[in-house]
């Protein structure tokens, strides 16, 4: 039956494309079709931009005179000035015009506070706020949502009124996770969208370039300022064959993470192509793109095909599918012979199911080797909790396939041995799996259906089954498994895999159980082997939209009041950072020399700290809590270089700030890996930090630091990291000659009076240097606005 459905869809797709080609060849010019008034979404009036995009990409293609990859087509078709823009992969800074902006509630607070500071009356592009991060998983969906609305009423009211005043759509708590809502409502082939969350690339499953950024970048776009991005390289992943058995789309990205590691995609777009693409569902493509954030990629995307068209039709956007088909060749698929900076080959037919972890998403284990690897490394083999869903794997297909596994186990008198948490990605998914009995099956299996929100994936989990510090293992279908990420317990060994494998592993609750070959003992004592998972890609009866949780902004929101109580501990209006005084930064104190992995979770923890995302001073109390100090190999313990006392990192930073002492941080490779969390840049700036000097940066965090006026610098020679002593005084000299491509000089003055002079590289361009001189990008925006009056 599944084969028949796919075959019919393929025929329908072929007819659709060939029909449009015929119409365009024989009946009308491209411009006529480009003038279609099909809206960008069901909730917008702004039309699809295909005509404009096609004109721009023709200009660029004529200039470059070479075949273009899909990533290049979508990106360059959004250039602000396609005629004059310098275009060189890995070198040029592109000025772009994104189609829309999306913000989740934790990051939207700071983004909207910054937008308010700009003094502008209304956003310039379609923008939305999604309330998904502030709902803690504790009891179950209904109870947890009710509690979240009560606890976060002040923040939700701020976001709702700010959205109404400034023209931003508002998705109420309970709507679902931002990335699932985007896929269901806003993503379309050829879209360029920025989102204030690192997993924004999920929209690549519908052929869009959806890029995670900090809130300051979002403010640029909402303020009608061209958005700047260093021209990415393009890594091609050529897919052949067809998945079968227990292999799922999740295994594609788990394998890519194994190949590229957590920083292998930095500065690049991952472009999937090849005949294997048509054997992956649209939501499966979304899963793969979503987790591209874990390899540092700028974003990921797939070419437009019939699986995307089917999904658009199922989500009431058939008109968009038809319009996209007209531009399939010119805009939405790569040219033959397009060049990739790196090419990876993956045969889906031979790809084995994977489980990655613990503590990092690129430590890959084929399921056949997981048990032995766990025992060899002394990881707890017993699994304590299984978790499925999240923005990565909460599609109807995911849930229906898990339900078939659960049904088979139940038929043999077995169910999950352990707590089994289910996170629907959206209200639409929740309502549909409830209607179709899938949710009930998962409950009978032992599952708890949580709220339509991020929950344990981002640390919003009131976990009770183990004590802090207790060594244990959990397995999830999430995307990120850094130390303490899910439950704030550094001893939790978190593994990520497909929801199907999570469901199967929950039955035996052991890492050394391989459902592809091992048997299970039923309640009657007889052994059985789980069948290969199967399930419908899309609901046969269509989606049930559930409750309407969207609030459109009024046509004129000028009369709406946005209130921030000065006494609030959740929200705080921003004070501008000080401008650079024109002098070198001399005798900076070292706050901490970080050793090893330092993600944005290490710099600015999530979980219980999420409630302070709108209050810069309060959230700054979480700065560097879990970063390892190279001086003593301990977390959150540094020496005050003036008093000699040991204390918490944020406390020490505040002590320095109170005395007017500026400081610097040194770090290791891929510093700032992970979330788009701009608080990890705002907090050091707020508490007196002037520079972050590391071996290498993750893309989003480096940009976030620049936006806040912090010097983001890298060792010209990474061995110089070893020359840095915690007691050193650090001087950054020659700042009056700060220029693109020109290294800065750093002088390390050691406690014994000796010095080391080292060179520091940077990627600042002229505009970003102005951000530093002005104190921040927001300050610079205000200066330019004032000068234009």
């Amino acid at each position: 039956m599944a084969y028949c459905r796919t075959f019919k869809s393929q025929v329908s797709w072929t007819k659709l494309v060939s029909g449009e080609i015929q119409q365009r060849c024989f009946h009308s010019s491209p411009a006529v079709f480009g003038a279609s008034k099909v809206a960008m979404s069901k909730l917008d009036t702004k039309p699809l931009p295909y005509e404009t995009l096609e004109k721009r990409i023709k200009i660029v293609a004529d200039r470059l005179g070479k075949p273009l990859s899909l990533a290049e087509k979508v990106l360059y078709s959004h250039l602000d000035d396609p005629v004059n823009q310098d275009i060189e992969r890995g070198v040029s800074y592109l000025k772009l015009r994104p189609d829309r902006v999306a913000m989740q509630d934790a990051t939207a607070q700071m983004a909207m506070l910054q937008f308010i500071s700009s003094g502008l009356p209304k956003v310039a592009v379609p923008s939305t706020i999604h309330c998904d991060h502030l709902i803690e998983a504790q009891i179950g969906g209904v109870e947890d949502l009710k509690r979240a609305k009560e606890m976060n009423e002040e923040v939700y009211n701020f976001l709702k009124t700010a959205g109404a005043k400034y023209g931003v759509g508002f998705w109420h708590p309970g709507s679902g996770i931002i990335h699932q809502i985007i896929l269901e409502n806003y993503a379309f082939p050829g879209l360029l969208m920025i989102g204030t969350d690192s997993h924004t690339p999920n929209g690549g499953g519908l052929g869009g370039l959806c890029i995670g950024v900090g809130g300051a970048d979002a403010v640029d776009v909402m303020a009608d300022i061209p958005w700047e991005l260093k021209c990415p390289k393009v890594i091609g992943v050529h897919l052949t064959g067809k998945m079968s058995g227990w292999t799922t789309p999740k295994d594609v990205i788990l394998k890519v993470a194994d190949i590229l590691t957590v920083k292998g995609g930095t500065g690049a777009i991952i472009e999937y192509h090849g005949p294997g693409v048509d054997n992956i569902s649209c939501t499966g493509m979304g899963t793969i793109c979503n987790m591209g954030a874990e390899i540092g990629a700028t974003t990921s995307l797939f070419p437009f095909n019939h699986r995307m068209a089917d999904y658009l039709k199922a989500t009431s956007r058939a008109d968009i599918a038809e319009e996209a088909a007209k531009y399939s060749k010119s805009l939405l698929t790569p040219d033959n012979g397009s060049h990739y900076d790196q090419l990876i080959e993956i045969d889906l037919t031979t790809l084995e199911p994977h489980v990655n972890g613990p503590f990092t998403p690129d430590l890959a284990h084929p399921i056949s080797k997981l048990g032995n690897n766990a025992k060899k490394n002394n990881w707890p083999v017993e699994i304590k909790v299984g978790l499925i869903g999240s923005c990565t794997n909460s599609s109807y297909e995911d849930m229906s396939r898990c339900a078939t596994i659960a049904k088979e186990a139940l038929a043999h008198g077995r169910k999950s041995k352990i707590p089994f948490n289910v996170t629907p990605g959206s209200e639409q998914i929740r309502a549909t799996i409830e209607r179709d009995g899938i949710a009930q099956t998962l409950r009978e299996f032992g599952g708890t259906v949580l709220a339509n929100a991020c929950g344990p994936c981002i640390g919003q989990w009131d976990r009770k089954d183990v004590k802090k510090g207790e060594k244990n293992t959990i397995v999830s279908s999430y995307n990120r498994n850094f130390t303490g990420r899910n439950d704030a317990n550094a001893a939790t060994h978190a593994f990520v895999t497909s929801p199907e494998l999570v469901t199967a592993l929950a039955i035996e609750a052991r890492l050394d159980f391989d459902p592809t070959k091992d048997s299970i003992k039923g309640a009657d004592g007889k052994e059985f082997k789980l069948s290969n998972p199967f399930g419908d890609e899309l609901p046969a009866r269509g989606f049930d939209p559930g409750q309407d949780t969207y609030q459109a902004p009024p046509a004129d929101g000028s009369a709406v009041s946005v209130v921030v109580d000065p006494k609030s501990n959740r929200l705080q209006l921003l004070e501008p950072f000080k401008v650079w005084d024109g002098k070198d930064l001399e005798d900076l104190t070292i706050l901490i020399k970080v050793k090893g992995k330092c993600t944005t979770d290490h710099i600015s923890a999530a979980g219980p700290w999420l409630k302070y995302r709108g209050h810069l001073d309060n959230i700054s109390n979480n700065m560097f809590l879990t970063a390892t100090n190279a001086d003593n190999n301990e977390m959150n313990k540094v020496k005050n270089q003036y008093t000699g006392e040991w204390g918490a990192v944020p406390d020490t930073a505040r002590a320095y700030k109170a005395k007017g002492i500026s400081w610097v941080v040194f770090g290791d490779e891929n510093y700032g890996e992970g979330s788009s969390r701009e608080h990890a840049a705002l907090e050091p700036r707020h508490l007196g930090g002037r520079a972050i000097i590391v071996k290498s940066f993750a893309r989003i965090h480096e940009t976030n630091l620049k936006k806040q006026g912090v010097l983001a610098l890298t060792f010209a020679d990474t061995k110089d990291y070893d020359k840095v002593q915690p007691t050193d005084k650090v001087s950054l000299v020659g700042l009056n000659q700060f220029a693109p491509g020109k290294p800065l000089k750093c002088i390390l003055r050691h406690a014994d009076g000796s010095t080391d002079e080292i060179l520091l590289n940077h990627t600042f361009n002229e505009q970003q240097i102005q951000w530093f001189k002005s104190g921040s990008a927001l300050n610079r925006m205000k200066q330019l606005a004032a000068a234009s009056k």
Side-chain angles (χ1 to χ4, degrees):
M1 184 68 75
Y3 174 80
C4 293
R5 280 200 297 271
T6 303
F7 179 74
K8 287 178 182 176
S9 176
Q10 183 77 52
V11 171
S12 171
W13 168 251
T14 304
K15 285 182 178 178
L16 180 65
V17 175
S18 63
E20 294 301 346
I21 291 173
Q22 287 178 8
Q23 287 180 5
R24 293 189 68 172
C25 289
F26 299 111
H27 297 295
S28 192
S29 69
V32 172
F33 282 90
S36 167
K37 296 303 179 187
V38 174
M40 280 171 49
S41 82
K42 300 172 288 186
L43 304 168
D44 290 312
T45 56
K46 190 172 182 178
L48 287 167
Y50 288 143
E51 179 185 2
T52 300
L53 301 184
E54 189 175 56
K55 288 178 180 176
R56 286 179 183 160
I57 202 58
K58 187 177 187 312
I59 293 169
V60 174
D62 289 345
R63 283 182 56 200
L64 297 180
K66 64 173 187 175
L68 297 177
S69 68
L70 173 60
E72 290 177 304
K73 285 185 176 184
V74 179
L75 197 65
Y76 302 162
S77 66
H78 287 84
L79 287 171
D80 183 52
D81 183 3
V83 176
N84 299 303
Q85 171 71 61
D86 289 333
I87 302 172
E88 184 180 352
R89 290 187 192 174
V91 176
S92 306
Y93 279 87
L94 307 179
K95 291 189 181 296
L96 301 157
R97 291 288 184 178
D99 299 303
R100 69 178 315 117
V101 172
M103 300 168 279
Q104 40 92 335
D105 51 354
T107 51
Q109 295 171 63
M110 195 55 67
M112 292 309 295
L113 286 165
Q114 289 177 90
F115 187 82
I116 291 169
S117 295
S118 75
L120 295 168
K122 193 171 184 178
V123 298
V125 300
S127 304
T128 50
I129 293 169
H130 304 260
C131 295
D132 62 357
H133 270 56
L134 300 179
I135 304 168
E136 184 183 56
Q138 190 180 75
I139 302 169
V142 175
E143 299 91 340
D144 294 346
L145 178 59
K146 182 176 183 293
R147 188 177 68 259
K149 287 180 177 179
E150 293 170 354
M151 290 177 60
N152 303 306
E153 182 180 9
E154 178 187 13
V155 171
Y156 291 147
N157 188 57
F158 165 72
L159 293 174
K160 182 170 59 176
T161 55
K165 185 172 185 65
Y166 297 106
V168 180
F170 180 74
W171 288 85
H172 284 262
S175 303
I177 305 173
I178 177 173
H179 313 303
Q180 184 67 28
I181 297 292
I182 293 296
L183 201 70
E184 292 174 353
N185 297 276
Y186 298 115
F188 61 82
L191 165 74
L192 177 62
M193 183 186 84
I194 64 169
T196 59
D197 189 280
S198 55
H199 293 104
T200 299
N202 190 81
L206 255 178
L209 279 183
C210 302
I211 302 176
V213 298
D217 280 351
V219 173
D220 281 354
V221 178
M222 292 191 291
D224 203 26
I225 296 172
W227 175 59
E228 189 176 72
L229 177 72
K230 192 170 188 178
C231 188
K233 295 183 178 182
V234 184
I235 296 174
V237 179
H238 186 248
L239 301 177
T240 56
K242 187 174 184 178
M243 292 177 294
S244 62
W246 286 82
T247 303
T248 73
K250 186 67 163 279
D251 298 302
V252 175
I253 186 59
L254 294 178
K255 182 62 180 176
V256 172
D258 177 36
I259 295 168
L260 288 177
T261 77
V262 291
K263 65 176 185 176
T266 303
I269 294 173
I270 312 297
E271 181 175 316
Y272 295 86
H273 61 286
V277 167
D278 287 341
N279 296 318
I280 304 174
S281 67
C282 177
T283 51
M285 295 182 216
T287 292
I288 293 167
C289 292
N290 176 295
M291 209 176 149
E294 270 48 72
I295 54 176
T298 301
T299 191
S300 306
L301 86 166
F302 281 81
F304 181 49
N305 67 358
H306 71 95
R307 308 299 281 264
M308 294 184 190
D310 288 347
Y311 184 78
L312 285 166
K313 292 170 189 173
T315 51
S316 305
R317 293 176 286 170
D319 53 348
I320 293 179
E322 291 173 8
E323 195 69 12
K326 301 171 187 176
Y327 297 87
S328 179
K329 181 172 174 50
S330 63
L331 275 177
L332 306 177
T333 52
D335 292 335
N336 291 330
S338 57
H339 171 70
Y340 296 103
D341 296 282
Q342 181 179 349
L343 185 64
I344 296 169
E345 297 278 355
I346 295 180
D347 180 1
L348 300 178
T349 305
T350 59
L351 181 63
E352 188 176 349
H354 277 63
V355 180
N356 286 22
F359 306 124
T360 184
D362 60 348
L363 184 57
H365 316 278
I367 185 65
S368 60
K369 298 179 180 178
L370 177 63
N372 285 337
N373 288 350
K375 291 168 185 173
K376 186 169 61 179
N377 289 284
N378 197 30
W379 301 327
V381 174
E382 181 189 359
I383 303 169
K384 290 290 188 181
V385 185
L387 308 101
I388 66 169
S390 85
C391 67
T392 321
N393 277 108
S394 57
S395 69
Y396 185 85
E397 180 181 38
D398 291 329
M399 295 298 176
S400 63
R401 284 168 62 90
C402 290
T404 62
I405 298 168
K407 273 185 179 178
E408 187 170 20
L410 290 166
H412 289 273
R414 293 295 303 272
K415 61 180 190 176
S416 177
K417 269 188 177 179
I418 53 179
F420 185 74
N421 292 324
V422 180
T423 305
S426 68
E427 170 61 9
Q428 178 168 274
I429 292 296
R430 183 209 63 79
T432 306
I433 65 172
E434 287 287 2
R435 181 200 67 194
D436 292 352
I438 292 171
Q440 184 56 32
T441 297
L442 295 175
R443 288 191 189 97
E444 291 170 3
F445 181 68
T448 299
V449 178
L450 301 174
N452 313 322
C454 299
C457 184
I458 59 160
Q460 284 284 50
W461 184 16
D462 185 18
R463 189 178 178 193
K464 302 288 191 185
D465 63 297
V466 297
K467 296 176 182 177
K468 289 288 190 295
E470 182 180 338
K471 193 174 177 181
N472 74 103
T473 287
I474 64 173
V475 181
S476 80
S477 69
Y478 301 163
N479 43 41
R480 200 160 276 168
N481 61 342
F482 302 143
T483 303
R485 165 79 177 186
N486 304 121
D487 61 1
N489 181 5
T492 293
H493 293 54
F495 293 82
V496 292
T497 185
S498 67
E500 292 92 332
L501 270 186
V502 174
T503 307
L505 290 172
I507 300 170
E508 291 291 89
R510 293 185 61 84
L511 290 178
D512 56 2
F513 170 63
D514 180 356
T516 68
K517 63 182 181 183
D518 295 342
S519 296
I520 299 171
K521 187 174 287 187
D524 58 3
K526 295 179 181 178
E527 293 196 342
F528 70 98
K529 198 164 168 270
L530 288 170
S531 304
N532 291 336
F534 65 93
D536 288 333
E537 176 180 338
L538 297 165
R541 296 161 59 191
F543 284 108
D544 182 337
Q547 298 179 35
D548 184 4
T549 50
Y550 175 67
Q551 174 182 299
D556 181 5
S558 58
V560 178
S561 296
V562 181
V563 178
V564 175
D565 185 347
K567 298 177 183 176
S568 171
N569 70 350
R570 298 290 300 273
L571 296 165
Q572 181 187 48
L573 292 174
L574 297 175
E575 293 290 332
F577 293 129
K578 291 181 179 179
V579 301
W580 177 54
D581 62 7
K583 300 177 182 178
D584 287 339
L585 299 177
E586 296 186 330
D587 289 334
L588 299 172
T589 295
I590 298 175
L591 175 66
I592 182 173
K593 179 184 177 183
V594 178
K595 177 182 178 181
K597 187 184 279 279
C598 188
T599 71
T600 48
D601 279 6
H602 293 87
I603 306 166
S604 175
W609 292 95
L610 284 171
K611 61 178 173 285
Y612 298 124
R613 284 287 184 87
H615 198 293
L616 180 55
D617 193 55
N618 282 347
I619 198 171
S620 294
N621 289 322
N622 76 356
M623 189 180 70
F624 291 111
L625 292 186
T626 57
T628 300
N629 183 5
D631 191 23
N632 56 8
N633 290 317
E634 294 188 46
M635 293 187 292
N636 199 29
K637 188 176 181 180
V638 294
K639 189 175 185 179
N640 186 314
Q641 298 301 326
Y642 292 86
T643 67
E645 297 175 352
W646 291 86
V649 185
D651 294 345
T652 305
R654 286 187 186 278
Y656 289 158
K657 182 180 180 181
K659 292 184 177 296
I661 299 166
S662 295
W663 47 264
V664 62
V665 166
F666 287 91
D668 218 315
E669 297 279 7
N670 206 31
Y671 180 92
E673 170 193 347
S675 170
S676 66
R677 200 166 305 159
E678 70 180 325
H679 297 78
L682 280 161
E683 292 171 32
R685 181 73 163 109
H686 174 64
L687 293 185
R690 302 306 306 274
I692 307 291
I693 303 169
V694 300
K695 293 180 181 178
S696 66
F697 281 106
R699 175 189 64 86
I700 300 176
H701 188 63
E702 182 179 23
T703 302
N704 285 346
L705 288 168
K706 293 177 181 179
K707 286 274 185 177
Q708 304 307 333
V710 179
L711 287 173
L713 307 170
T714 57
F715 295 102
D717 182 351
T718 56
K719 295 188 185 70
D720 288 340
Y721 170 88
D722 298 322
K723 295 178 180 177
V724 178
Q725 304 301 315
T727 54
D728 288 350
K729 293 298 179 187
V730 181
S731 295
L732 301 173
V733 299
L735 286 174
N736 58 343
Q737 297 175 336
F738 192 10
K742 182 178 179 180
L744 289 174
K745 186 190 296 183
C746 173
I747 299 170
L748 303 173
R749 182 163 57 84
H750 306 303
D752 63 3
S754 64
T755 62
D756 273 306
E757 185 176 301
I758 63 176
L759 289 180
L760 301 175
N761 294 332
H762 64 85
T763 60
F764 282 80
N765 59 25
E766 289 288 1
Q767 175 174 274
Q768 294 167 346
I769 290 171
Q770 287 302 319
W771 296 345
F772 166 71
K773 291 180 177 179
S774 301
S776 70
L778 189 58
N779 286 359
R780 182 61 178 161
M781 183 193 298
K782 290 180 180 178
Q783 289 173 357
L784 293 173
S788 66
K789 290 181 179 178

